[in-house]
Amino acid sequence: MVAHTRATCAAGSIAALILLSSSLSAQWPKYPTPGVPRNASGEPMLDAPAPRTPDGKPDLSGIWMRFAGQGGGATGTPVPAPPGTPPIATFFDVGAGFPEGLPFQPWAAELKKTRNDANSKDNPDAHCLPMGFMQFHMHGQPRRIIQTPTLITILYEANFGLRYIFMDGRPLPPNGEPQPFWYGYSIGRWDGDTLVVETNNLKDDGWLDVRGSPFTDQAKITERFRRVNFGKLEIDVTIDDPKAYTKPFTVRVNQQIMVDGEMIEFICNENNQFLNYLERTAGK
């Protein structure tokens, strides 16, 4: 199990947890991941072709980490995006790659400023609740994708998150038909070698990133997953939320495969001192 203490700044504590995860990965016994293409020296061949399932679809299964070149440290500075591709998102600021910033509605821009000025103390992750939609994609802790023909499951080490993507042909239900969920309601389909996932029915007043870019219960999020080769997963995410933004926008997330290791148990509420800190400092 992982015990952690929230720091005096929620954003700072979230950054500390990212560093903490990699240092604890050695707790699991070492065991080679089966099915990994390797060279004569036994090193993984990450640029080998992407594996496929028996029905010919790209196999997204595996444990994935935020791509080492993705950027998104404490400053939220992104790496430059190649020409003609979406801006690169960062864990702290999903819109860091947009020179003009995100197309906020005025109230949403003010809300992000208020959240950021308060050191992100109300970020759900700081209270051991499911973190913002893009934070899960960009978090430094790994996630495991389990792929079947009718259901794809994503298990997040961070806050022990669990997400279902239904692949059985069902339609996306209208907003408000099921109760809103932290992860929303997701359906997927294949467009050639790209997995297209649509999500709605998200809880209102959400956080896309640590700095507080909001999303609302009117949001529809479309993700396009493409396994470029054995070692790289490319995800383009389009946020369409007319309640919070004047137009849709798209960002890119890159992830890399993690081999010969396992995710570890992460129980956020274990030894969580953040709420105690808020009580001690109330009114100061």
Side-chain angles (χ1 to χ4, degrees):
M1 286 184 280
V2 177
H4 65 272
T5 301
R6 299 289 176 175
T8 57
C9 164
S13 68
I14 293 168
L17 296 180
I18 298 173
L19 298 175
L20 182 64
S21 174
S22 59
S23 67
L24 293 176
S25 60
Q27 287 186 356
W28 283 100
K30 291 288 290 183
Y31 189 82
T33 302
V36 177
R38 300 178 187 269
N39 60 24
S41 301
E43 297 296 320
M45 298 172 61
L46 301 183
D47 58 353
R52 293 184 178 269
T53 60
D55 62 0
K57 302 299 185 186
D59 191 352
L60 309 185
S61 301
I63 300 178
W64 297 91
M65 298 286 295
R66 184 179 66 202
F67 191 67
Q70 180 79 31
T75 62
T77 303
V79 297
T85 65
I88 301 295
T90 74
F91 176 66
F92 279 77
D93 188 351
V94 68
F98 289 86
E100 304 298 325
L102 294 179
F104 291 109
Q105 298 283 4
W107 72 267
E110 183 61 31
L111 177 58
K112 180 188 176 182
K113 181 179 185 304
T114 299
R115 289 171 167 178
N116 191 57
D117 289 349
N119 287 328
S120 304
K121 68 179 181 64
D122 293 322
N123 189 302
D125 185 32
H127 298 266
C128 292
L129 294 169
M131 65 185 71
F133 201 91
M134 290 298 298
Q135 286 178 257
F136 268 122
H137 273 319
M138 289 300 306
H139 203 281
Q141 291 173 263
R143 71 282 299 144
R144 180 191 290 273
I145 297 178
I146 301 173
Q147 180 175 330
T148 76
T150 58
L151 180 70
I152 293 177
T153 301
I154 306 180
L155 308 172
Y156 300 93
E157 183 178 289
N159 282 3
F160 217 61
L162 175 62
R163 184 180 173 202
Y164 297 113
I165 301 170
F166 299 106
M167 300 288 295
D168 54 6
R170 70 183 67 185
L172 195 66
N175 258 340
E177 185 170 295
Q179 70 179 58
F181 298 104
W182 287 99
Y183 305 106
Y185 192 100
S186 297
I187 62 167
R189 58 180 174 82
W190 289 100
D191 180 10
D193 284 348
T194 299
L195 173 66
V196 181
V197 178
E198 296 177 292
T199 300
N200 66 359
N201 283 286
L202 290 149
K203 290 174 70 71
D204 202 19
D205 200 31
W207 295 55
L208 284 175
D209 51 35
V210 173
R211 292 183 174 169
S213 301
F215 65 87
T216 76
D217 57 359
Q218 298 304 302
K220 180 180 178 181
I221 298 178
T222 302
E223 300 152 288
R224 299 180 68 87
F225 294 76
R226 187 170 73 93
R227 191 165 185 174
V228 178
N229 51 36
F230 183 85
K232 183 177 180 181
L233 186 64
E234 185 180 88
I235 311 170
D236 287 349
V237 185
T238 299
I239 313 293
D240 185 359
D241 186 353
K243 189 174 175 180
Y245 299 92
T246 60
K247 60 182 180 180
F249 62 92
T250 301
V251 294
R252 174 162 292 180
V253 173
N254 294 309
Q255 295 179 358
Q256 61 189 22
I257 197 74
M258 185 178 91
V259 301
D260 303 338
E262 289 291 346
M263 301 198 317
I264 61 176
E265 184 179 71
F266 183 95
I267 307 301
C268 181
N269 267 319
E270 183 180 14
N271 198 33
N272 176 21
Q273 301 297 314
F274 182 66
L275 295 181
N276 292 337
Y277 164 77
L278 290 182
E279 292 176 2
R280 292 196 308 270
T281 57
K284 291 184 179 180

